[in-house]
Amino acid sequence: QVQLVESGGGLVQAGGSLRLSCAASGNIFRLNVMAWHRQVPGKQRELVATSTRDGSTNYADSVKGRFTISRDNAKNTVYLQMNSLKPEDTAVYYCYTRWNWNDYWGQGTQVTVSS
């Protein structure tokens, strides 16, 4: 009922910036909690940032001060602005939301940071 599509990933040099977008569509009336996760092959998926319905945001310590999550409820879109990127940020980034007690995940977008 809900589809999430990420975009904005790519290859960037260390110190550069990327802006990820996640567009929600389907049977969704408004954005609920939204989050970004990332995963490196062989490692467990890591929570990067969350944006709750009341506007509260939280960040993993590893990205705090560098990443910013935001949302445009009118467009059903959540963003992740990533600045001062490091090679350690290289991963597949996934968008997440919860709707009617169900979890929904995007297919992921690759972010590669070169040194």
Side-chain angles (χ1 to χ4, degrees):
Q1 282 193 298
V2 178
Q3 297 83 43
L4 302 175
V5 180
E6 303 99 334
S7 62
L11 176 64
V12 65
Q13 293 188 58
S17 298
L18 285 174
R19 181 180 173 88
L20 305 183
S21 298
C22 172
S25 62
N27 189 24
I28 185 169
F29 303 106
R30 55 190 175 272
L31 293 179
N32 199 14
V33 60
M34 303 291 293
W36 287 96
H37 296 69
R38 65 187 182 187
Q39 188 167 27
V40 177
K43 305 291 289 185
Q44 190 171 1
R45 191 169 295 186
E46 174 190 21
L47 176 63
V48 175
T50 59
S51 175
T52 63
R53 192 169 182 83
D54 64 3
S56 178
T57 59
N58 290 280
Y59 300 92
D61 288 341
S62 59
V63 307
K64 195 173 300 180
R66 300 188 296 119
F67 290 11
T68 303
I69 187 171
S70 61
R71 60 201 294 162
D72 185 338
N73 289 332
K75 297 184 180 297
N76 286 338
T77 301
V78 64
Y79 305 93
L80 185 67
Q81 179 67 45
M82 305 185 295
N83 298 326
S84 301
L85 283 163
K86 306 174 180 179
E88 308 93 272
D89 297 318
T90 295
V92 177
Y93 285 71
Y94 297 90
C95 184
Y96 164 88
T97 192
R98 187 166 180 83
W99 186 258
N100 289 336
W101 297 274
N102 295 127
D103 297 325
Y104 295 92
W105 293 90
Q107 291 186 312
T109 185
Q110 177 71 48
V111 172
T112 302
V113 184
S114 62
S115 60

